Amino acid sequence: MTRKHKQPWRPLPIPPNYLAGMFFLLVMAFSATAFLHYKARIEEIENLMHEESSLLIHFLTEGAETALIGYNEINGLITGGLADQLRLIERMDSQKALTSENLTEIAGKSGMYRITIVDRNGNRIAWNTPPDHTPLFRNCEPASQLMPILSGKTEVLNLGIRESESGKGPRLVVAVARRRGGAIVGNVDATRLLAMQKQIGPGRLIQRTGTDAAGIAYIIWQDSSAIIAATSNVTEAETIQSDPILSRALEQKRSTTRFTTFNGKKVFEVIKPFFYQGSRFGLLRIGLKTDPFMEAAEKLQIRIILLLGLASIGGLAVFNLILTRRNELKVKDALLGEKLFSSSILENMEDSVIAVNTGGNITLLNSSAEKLLNITGAGAIGHSLSAILPECGILIMEFMNRQTTASTKEFDCRINNTQFILAGHFTLINGTENYPDGAFVVLRDMTVQRSMQWVIERQEKLTAMGELASGVAHEIRNPLNAIGVLGQRLDMEFSPAEEREEYHHLVRAIVSEVHRVNAIIQRFLKFARPPKLMLMPTDLDDFIRQYRPVLEGEAETVGVRFTLKAFSGCQIAIDRAQMQQVLLNLVRNAVEATEPGGDVTVTTGQHNGNAFIEVADTGRGIPEELRSQIFNLYFTSKEDGTGMGLSIANQIVQSHGGVIEVESLENRGSIFRIVLPRS
């Protein structure tokens, strides 16, 4: 048997051209891999910058809109207050024509700078001279400026902020129509209003955001004609008309991004139209510094070189992995910086921002949300939003189930025993494979705004009902009187031969019902044509104390404790008889709603420059579904009630320039608060 010897292993001979080809393919493979990886990372960084910049400009837009709303509401309140003062002066003038001496005395007491009365031709007939300068005899012609009032097109005219002709500073000017013909014009110092505009306006927000954020190169708010506001390092910018990208961005609703240059450096710019109350007001442009982006790009280029070197010498693989890891860490640091920057924006927002995961548990909330919910972030993270704010939690889960991009909805809620109306803007947080990772909501407190809207709607409804009542009463009264006269004649002049007693009983019942309907019509007419106010300067506390025996008697007759707290120190102008009617109606309702042994408390005071009378009880309260109807004409929950008491009370208070506010909890009591302007 022959034994075969095992041959030693030898590598297969490979021709040099094959080796060269394999090396070339290896280099190409490494090069292609490096290039694709480089491109993917650049796109990833660009996408991250796009998402972060879009979120940033969204929050900046929301903040600018909030700043505009805040300033406009403050300006409206100040203008409304000045108009109310001028209406009081006009009422005094309607009773007796005011002279310049009267206007000087009124201006000194009310804090107004100048008051001028012009006739229907625009000629000044009375004015005051402010104490800080000599009399000023101007040759101005106010008729053209006051034409909307003089022509009867409007009752109140806001002439805006103007520089005082005496050089004493800016003045807010308002005019109201005069029943004697012409107008009454008044102005007050607007220095604080202008300072407030600078402090809370969008320009201040842009300056503060651009100054505090290290990652922002510039912020510009511009329209088709000029720059409206910008950071301090912006002196000029290309016009919208000269830049095609800006022109296209102005016509879109979503944000646009691009790379551009600023002061010789490359920046990543996000552009978005700015909308306010449904109207477009130019473009918002935010330029983000691209230093982290450029640094990452340079590192990735180095990585390509290292990969090619690895393909050539093979021994640099470990070094290449280390370098790759280092570059990834730097990219993460850059992203972390962007996230910290976004967090600082969230913390400085006036609106409340809350983010939840797909299970409805809170993952993020800013300081405004902590203040609104009266909780701390550490104590809320990980907890269910539905347990903390049930109404919002239900809405955000419904929104995530629908998987729509964004949604806005107003809802009522109660936080710490206080009723709020919140407007929530819901947005999905997109995850992988188009499945949401959660959602976040931006909450804005609309309680005050909706309360004012409710008061206006209530007044419009009462006015319409009063006009209807007057029309119906006039149409029914004449035929009703005829029916009553005929019924009386039938009772007196005719008597049937049979069933005489029943006949007269029925005829008298007809006459009785006619009288009852006529009494209802009288109440209709009283509501439709309320008596004219006889305003008198009144000490609020003395007025309440003098009327105390009547109010106390209403309570004591049914065993309810009555308490009076009159320490406001306010002077008001009221029709004493009509205001007593309002007060008696509210106290009587409070007593009827309170069980024997309960409490009814009347309190006077002042708040935000207004006087108030508060009637509080410990009764059964008003069901939530009935609160919006209690001031409607003929609405009542009493078996023997007429449903006109609160309607007439509300009408009287509003004719005084005030409002009635209502707070109520079932089985815990109600508070009716009469708010009146001070003299």
Side-chain angles (χ1 to χ4, degrees):
M1 184 174 181
T2 304
R3 185 177 181 181
K4 296 181 178 180
H5 297 280
K6 188 176 181 179
Q7 297 293 327
W9 179 86
R10 294 185 179 91
L12 295 175
I14 300 176
N17 56 342
Y18 281 21
L19 289 174
M22 292 175 63
F23 181 77
F24 177 77
L25 291 175
L26 182 62
V27 171
M28 291 298 296
F30 274 107
S31 299
T33 302
F35 176 77
L36 293 175
H37 188 69
Y38 171 80
K39 185 177 180 181
R41 288 301 176 86
I42 293 299
E43 290 178 353
E44 179 183 353
I45 296 172
E46 287 182 0
N47 289 335
L48 289 173
M49 293 188 68
H50 180 273
E51 292 177 5
E52 294 292 334
S53 61
S54 298
L55 183 62
L56 171 63
I57 200 167
H58 170 75
F59 289 141
L60 182 62
T61 302
E62 293 286 340
E65 184 179 357
T66 301
L68 281 173
I69 291 173
Y71 172 73
N72 289 338
E73 288 185 352
I74 293 173
N75 187 19
L77 290 173
I78 295 175
T79 303
L82 179 55
D84 289 341
Q85 288 183 303
L86 292 176
R87 289 191 185 98
L88 291 176
I89 295 173
E90 194 279 332
R91 291 175 185 169
M92 297 170 62
D93 179 71
S94 66
Q95 298 174 0
K96 180 181 179 181
L98 299 177
T99 64
S100 296
E101 289 77 12
N102 298 141
L103 295 181
T104 299
E105 181 181 357
I106 293 172
K109 292 181 178 180
S110 64
M112 297 177 64
Y113 186 78
R114 182 184 291 278
I115 309 172
T116 303
I117 300 178
V118 301
D119 60 17
R120 65 182 71 253
N121 297 319
N123 299 318
R124 294 196 307 159
I125 58 177
W127 64 89
N128 73 299
T129 300
D132 59 351
H133 65 282
T134 57
L136 180 64
F137 296 94
R138 300 175 295 178
N139 295 320
C140 62
E141 297 181 0
S144 60
Q145 301 176 13
L146 300 176
M147 186 54 65
I149 286 183
L150 299 180
S151 62
K153 292 182 178 180
T154 183
E155 295 291 328
V156 180
L157 182 63
N158 182 3
L159 297 174
I161 298 176
R162 304 183 177 186
E163 185 65 25
S164 171
E165 293 186 11
S166 59
K168 301 298 182 180
R171 300 287 181 258
L172 174 64
V173 186
V174 175
V176 299
R178 183 170 177 250
R179 273 176 272 188
R180 293 177 178 269
I184 300 179
V185 185
N187 66 60
V188 295
D189 188 5
T191 304
R192 293 182 62 186
L193 182 61
L194 291 178
M196 189 178 303
Q197 179 184 9
K198 294 179 180 179
Q199 289 296 322
I200 68 174
R204 174 61 177 170
L205 176 64
I206 289 173
Q207 288 286 349
R208 186 177 62 189
T209 304
T211 301
D212 296 342
I216 292 181
Y218 61 86
I219 301 177
I220 302 173
W221 178 19
Q222 67 182 114
D223 60 12
S224 58
S225 60
I227 296 176
I228 301 174
T231 50
S232 59
N233 60 341
V234 176
T235 57
E236 60 179 359
E238 61 270 38
T239 62
I240 296 177
Q241 295 83 352
S242 64
D243 192 322
I245 295 179
L246 296 181
S247 300
R248 287 195 299 270
L250 184 63
E251 301 302 322
Q252 298 178 355
K253 291 186 178 181
R254 60 183 181 179
S255 59
T256 303
T257 58
R258 66 174 179 177
F259 283 98
T260 184
T261 57
F262 177 73
N263 291 339
K265 292 185 177 181
K266 191 175 182 179
V267 296
F268 184 83
E269 185 180 72
V270 57
I271 311 163
K272 186 176 182 182
F274 179 66
F275 290 88
Y276 178 66
Q277 294 183 348
S279 300
R280 184 183 285 106
F281 288 86
L283 290 174
L284 271 178
R285 299 169 56 190
I286 301 179
L288 299 180
K289 297 177 182 178
T290 58
D291 294 345
F293 176 84
M294 298 303 295
E295 182 180 357
E298 291 174 0
K299 296 299 182 183
L300 290 172
Q301 291 174 0
I302 295 173
R303 184 184 170 204
I304 291 178
I305 298 173
L306 293 175
L307 286 174
L308 292 174
L310 178 64
S312 301
I313 61 177
L316 300 177
V318 176
F319 177 78
N320 182 60
L321 293 174
I322 296 174
L323 184 62
T324 302
R325 179 60 178 170
R326 187 178 65 180
N327 289 337
E328 290 178 353
L329 290 175
K330 288 192 175 183
V331 172
K332 289 182 179 179
D333 290 340
L335 294 178
L336 179 60
E338 294 293 337
K339 290 181 179 179
L340 291 175
F341 171 70
S342 300
S343 297
S344 66
I345 294 292
L346 287 174
E347 290 303 313
N348 290 314
M349 286 182 60
E350 293 292 336
D351 291 338
S352 301
V353 180
I354 304 174
V356 300
N357 58 20
T358 53
N361 296 326
I362 298 174
T363 59
L364 177 146
L365 72 166
N366 64 351
S367 58
S368 296
E370 293 178 359
K371 293 178 182 177
L372 176 66
L373 302 177
N374 194 24
I375 58 176
T376 61
I381 299 298
H383 289 76
S384 172
L385 178 59
S386 297
I388 299 174
L389 191 59
E391 297 84 357
C392 185
I394 294 172
L395 289 175
I396 202 168
M397 293 303 294
E398 292 177 350
F399 168 71
M400 283 194 291
N401 292 333
R402 292 196 305 268
Q403 294 190 10
T404 54
T405 304
S407 176
T408 301
K409 187 175 182 63
E410 284 191 9
F411 58 92
D412 297 338
C413 63
R414 180 168 292 275
I415 303 174
N416 296 328
N417 295 325
T418 302
Q419 193 72 20
F420 285 88
I421 300 176
L422 300 180
H425 183 77
F426 302 88
T427 305
L428 282 179
I429 301 175
N430 292 323
T432 58
E433 300 180 358
N434 295 325
Y435 286 101
D437 277 348
F440 69 89
V441 58
V442 180
L443 298 175
R444 179 175 299 162
D445 187 359
M446 305 293 290
T447 308
V448 176
Q449 182 178 344
R450 292 295 175 262
S451 177
M452 295 176 63
Q453 180 180 349
W454 181 63
V455 170
I456 294 172
E457 292 175 352
R458 186 171 68 189
Q459 176 60 23
E460 292 175 349
K461 183 184 295 185
L462 289 177
T463 301
M465 294 177 72
E467 293 175 354
L468 175 64
S470 179
V472 171
H474 283 295
E475 291 295 329
I476 295 177
R477 205 172 188 181
N478 290 334
L480 188 66
N481 289 336
I483 293 173
V485 171
L486 291 175
Q488 290 176 353
R489 292 189 60 185
L490 288 173
D491 185 36
M492 296 172 59
E493 301 175 5
F494 180 76
S495 182
E498 298 179 356
E499 298 181 351
R500 182 178 306 172
E501 182 178 350
E502 182 179 1
Y503 165 77
H504 286 285
H505 175 74
L506 292 175
V507 170
R508 289 166 187 169
I510 292 174
V511 174
S512 175
E513 289 301 307
V514 167
H515 290 162
R516 190 172 68 86
V517 174
N518 191 58
I520 295 174
I521 292 175
Q522 290 294 338
R523 290 198 295 270
F524 258 126
L525 293 176
K526 183 178 180 181
F527 179 80
R529 297 193 297 267
K532 184 177 179 181
L533 295 179
M534 302 296 292
L535 297 177
M536 297 178 57
T538 303
D539 183 282
L540 178 59
D541 299 332
D542 289 345
F543 169 71
I544 297 296
R545 294 191 190 103
Q546 291 173 6
Y547 202 51
R548 175 173 183 165
V550 177
L551 303 177
E552 196 169 27
E554 288 287 330
E556 290 180 348
T557 54
V558 293
V560 174
R561 289 186 296 271
F562 179 84
T563 305
L564 176 63
K565 301 176 182 179
F567 308 104
S568 67
C570 293
Q571 294 290 325
I572 56 176
I574 60 173
D575 185 314
R576 296 174 65 94
Q578 293 195 46
M579 195 55 65
Q580 285 176 354
Q581 179 183 352
V582 173
L583 193 56
L584 180 60
N585 184 280
L586 295 183
V587 171
R588 183 172 292 163
N589 287 347
V591 170
E592 291 175 353
T594 305
E595 296 293 333
D599 293 283
V600 171
T601 304
V602 176
T603 307
T604 64
Q606 53 180 311
H607 181 67
N608 290 336
N610 294 319
F612 68 82
I613 307 171
E614 191 174 271
V615 179
D617 64 67
T618 58
R620 56 182 174 270
I622 304 171
E624 184 175 354
E625 64 272 12
L626 300 181
R627 289 174 202 162
S628 61
Q629 308 177 48
I630 59 176
F631 292 102
N632 291 351
L633 187 62
Y634 284 108
F635 175 82
T636 180
S637 60
K638 306 174 186 176
E639 295 182 358
D640 57 346
T642 64
M644 297 190 68
L646 284 179
S647 299
I648 295 175
N650 182 62
Q651 186 182 59
I652 293 172
V653 172
Q654 290 192 345
S655 67
H656 281 77
V659 296
I660 299 180
E661 299 175 349
V662 182
E663 297 178 12
S664 184
L665 291 175
E666 287 193 67
N667 301 320
R668 296 182 62 180
S670 303
I671 298 175
F672 282 75
R673 187 179 300 108
I674 305 170
V675 182
L676 298 169
R678 296 179 59 185
S679 299

